[in-house]
């Protein structure tokens, strides 16, 4: 993504981006800072998170960003994150629930331990982050919660049993949050990415016995015929985080190359 100043679409808004150290989260953090937000990068990848902070500082925006280590499967970590944001900023305007783990295994091959880990991060993490975000947002008259679900939260595919379950849960939980808190000025919406060229997907491609064939197969699952780019999801986050989307409540934004439309 080209380094350039934005037009202030998130000027002075305080934003939390979970899973913010790489992939979609990294692209979102970079974009939000350029658009004037104060961003808290949340991740368990400390080295990558601090490297992103340093990169943003080199661009002259160091005061607008910080890193906070948080395991989104840990209630204690999540509670500490929101206590820190409240103490440091006194407000919260935007929450991007992006952190997630996945597995391509079907349910018959998925261990209980793996299922629990996927649900803890992908579902409980979103639930708890929302639980603590809502009171902070209420104090400043509202805010925007953007939950990164997946095309796999809407449609089925071979395998990915626990991942499908988790992202479907995020999809409907978003709607509950939306209708519960709309009158508080809090908007909750979900984004449903297709196959995005993130480090996680790139690792799966590179470790496949036939990487080129596997990448072509994944790309072919989307009518557009290519993998998505992290910044293409980040711009969806920007729209839903900004005041431009103030009439979007409980919406599903599919940024998936046409996967769900098939």
């Amino acid at each position: 993504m080209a380094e350039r100043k934005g037009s202030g679409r998130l000027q002075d808004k305080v934003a939390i981006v979970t899973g913010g150290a790489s992939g979609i989260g990294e692209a979102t953090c970079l974009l939000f800072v350029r658009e004037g937000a104060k961003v808290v990068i949340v991740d368990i990848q400390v080295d990558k998170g601090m490297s992103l902070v340093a990169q943003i500082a080199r661009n002259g925006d160091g005061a607008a960003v910080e890193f906070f280590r948080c395991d989104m499967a840990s209630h204690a970590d999540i509670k500490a994150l929101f206590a820190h944001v409240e103490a440091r900023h006194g407000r919260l305007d935007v929450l991007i629930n992006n952190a997630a783990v996945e597995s391509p295994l079907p349910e018959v091959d998925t261990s209980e331990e793996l299922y629990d880990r996927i649900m803890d991060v992908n579902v409980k993490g979103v639930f708890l982050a929302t639980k603590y975000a809502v009171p902070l947002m209420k104090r400043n008259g509202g805010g925007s919660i953007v939950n990164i679900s997946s095309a796999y939260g809407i449609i089925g595919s071979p395998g990915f049993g626990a991942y499908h379950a988790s992202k479907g849960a995020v999809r409907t939980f978003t709607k509950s949050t939306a209708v519960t808190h709309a009158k508080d000025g809090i908007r909750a919406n979900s984004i449903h990415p297709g196959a995005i060229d993130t480090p996680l997907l790139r690792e799966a491609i590179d470790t496949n016995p036939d990487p080129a064939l596997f990448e072509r197969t994944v790309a072919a699952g989307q009518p557009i015929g290519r993998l998505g780019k992290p910044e293409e999801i980040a711009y969806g986050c920007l729209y839903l985080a900004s005041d431009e989307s103030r009439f979007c409540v409980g919406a599903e934004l599919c940024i998936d190359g046409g996967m769900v439309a098939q």
Side-chain angles (χ1 to χ4, degrees):
M1 189 186 295
E3 295 297 336
R4 61 186 185 279
K5 289 297 179 182
S7 54
R9 294 166 68 185
L10 299 179
Q11 193 62 44
D12 298 324
K13 291 184 184 292
V14 177
I16 290 174
V17 180
T18 74
S22 64
I24 292 169
E26 177 185 8
T28 300
C29 290
L30 289 168
L31 181 58
F32 277 22
V33 168
R34 289 204 302 276
E35 290 293 339
K38 297 179 177 69
V39 177
V40 182
I41 302 168
V42 176
D43 213 303
I44 58 173
Q45 301 177 97
V46 176
D47 290 345
K48 287 186 176 180
M50 294 306 298
S51 177
L52 182 55
V53 169
Q55 176 186 341
I56 292 171
R58 288 194 297 272
N59 295 334
D61 294 312
V65 68
E66 63 178 308
F67 174 76
F68 192 96
R69 188 204 176 278
C70 178
D71 182 348
M72 294 305 294
S74 167
H75 191 167
D77 280 12
I78 294 169
K79 189 174 182 179
L81 164 65
F82 284 88
H84 168 78
V85 171
E86 182 177 17
R88 182 175 177 85
H89 298 283
R91 64 182 294 125
L92 178 66
D93 301 283
V94 179
L95 169 63
I96 308 295
N97 277 315
N98 168 69
V101 293
E102 68 176 50
S103 165
L105 296 175
E107 68 285 339
V108 294
D109 296 322
T110 299
S111 67
E112 183 177 2
E113 291 75 18
L114 177 57
Y115 175 87
D116 286 344
R117 176 62 181 171
I118 290 172
M119 298 301 284
D120 281 350
V121 175
N122 297 10
V123 182
K124 188 173 74 173
V126 171
F127 176 88
L128 290 173
T130 302
K131 172 184 173 71
Y132 290 108
V134 165
L136 270 178
M137 290 181 172
K138 279 186 177 181
R139 291 180 202 172
N140 50 268
S144 175
I145 298 172
V146 182
N147 294 329
I148 307 300
S149 178
S150 170
Y152 282 2
I154 300 175
I155 61 174
S157 75
F160 290 90
Y163 185 73
H164 275 287
S166 71
K167 291 304 187 177
V170 170
R171 177 194 185 196
T172 51
F173 175 68
T174 303
K175 295 183 186 303
S176 175
T177 303
V179 299
T180 302
H181 298 293
K183 288 184 170 59
D184 299 315
I186 297 172
R187 298 179 296 103
N189 298 282
S190 57
I191 292 180
H192 300 262
I196 308 300
D197 195 356
T198 62
L200 189 64
L201 178 57
R202 186 53 55 183
E203 179 182 0
I205 291 171
D206 291 343
T207 57
N208 187 272
D210 190 338
L213 176 60
F214 183 63
E215 181 170 353
R216 288 196 301 271
T217 301
V218 173
Q222 303 172 123
I224 202 169
R226 66 169 175 84
L227 301 179
K229 301 175 182 178
E231 54 263 35
E232 292 172 319
I233 309 305
Y235 274 103
C237 292
L238 174 59
Y239 169 66
L240 291 175
S242 76
D243 294 338
E244 297 158 15
S245 62
R246 57 189 174 271
F247 203 57
C248 288
V249 177
E252 298 175 2
L253 179 55
C254 294
I255 311 178
D256 62 355
M259 183 183 294
V260 171
Q262 299 180 95

